[in-house]
Amino acid sequence: MQLFVPLLLRGEASFSTRREVAAHVLKVLDAQLPHIESFDVTWFGGEPLVGKGSLLQLSDAFILRCDEAEVRYDASIITNGFLLDEATCRELAAQRVSSVQVGIDGPPTVHDRMRPLNNGRGSFHTILANLHKAVDYLNVETP
C-alpha cells in the first residue's frame, strides 16, 4: 500500500501554524507507517520554496520515520522556479526530492507579463538559468 500526501506549504503562514500542521501530518504518518510500503509527498502551494526551512525540517522528519519503518520515501515539488537556485537544488536532492515541476507561461515577454515579481520586474531569465542548474540534481518537468 502507498500513502500519497500533497502538502500545501504557504511561506507566509506563521511559524506556530506551520509547526501545528507539521505535528498533525507527522501524527497521521506515524499511524500509517505500519500499513504502507511507500510514502510519496508533493510539495506545492503558493510558492513552497518561500517556506524552504519548514519544508526541509519536515522532510527530515519524514525521512527519519520512513527509514526506521523501512518504508520507501519519495518527494516532488511544484514551484515557479524563481528560488530554485543551485544550492536549493542540492538541498532538495539530499532530501530525496526527485522531481520538480516548473510552470512557464510562454516566451519571456508573455511569462514576465503574467508572472511579474513584486518589484514589477520579470522572472523568466532567472527561472531559465535556475532550470539549467536544476537538471543536474532533479528530474525537471514543465507542464
Side-chain angles (χ1 to χ4, degrees):
M1 184 189 304
Q2 180 178 30
L3 180 62
F4 171 75
V5 178
L7 286 171
L8 177 66
L9 186 67
R10 294 201 181 274
E12 61 273 357
S14 71
F15 177 76
S16 60
T17 301
R18 287 193 302 255
R19 196 161 65 185
E20 185 178 315
V21 169
H24 286 294
V25 170
L26 291 172
K27 185 176 179 179
V28 169
L29 176 59
D30 289 340
Q32 294 299 313
L33 280 172
H35 312 288
I36 61 175
E37 296 173 7
S38 65
F39 179 57
D40 298 301
V41 173
T42 300
W43 300 99
F44 73 101
E47 174 47 50
L49 292 177
V50 170
K52 182 172 76 168
S54 296
L55 183 155
L56 296 174
Q57 283 183 318
L58 199 49
S59 292
D60 282 339
F62 290 160
I63 291 167
L64 178 67
R65 284 167 163 79
C66 287
D67 285 354
E68 287 177 351
E70 296 181 0
V71 168
R72 185 186 61 76
Y73 173 79
D74 187 44
S76 61
I77 188 167
I78 301 171
T79 174
N80 65 25
F82 188 76
L83 299 174
L84 194 64
D85 58 26
E86 188 168 6
T88 298
C89 290
R90 279 194 306 270
E91 290 173 313
L92 292 173
Q95 296 302 110
R96 299 186 196 167
V97 174
S98 59
S99 65
V100 59
Q101 182 177 334
V102 177
I104 297 175
D105 291 336
T109 55
V110 173
H111 176 88
D112 288 346
R113 186 176 65 246
M114 299 296 292
R115 294 184 185 231
L117 299 173
N118 287 339
N119 64 10
R121 297 177 78 183
S123 60
F124 182 89
H125 293 291
T126 300
I127 293 167
L128 189 62
N130 286 345
L131 290 175
H132 281 290
K133 296 175 190 126
V135 296
D136 292 334
Y137 301 92
L138 306 164
N139 179 19
V140 177
E141 303 170 19
T142 55

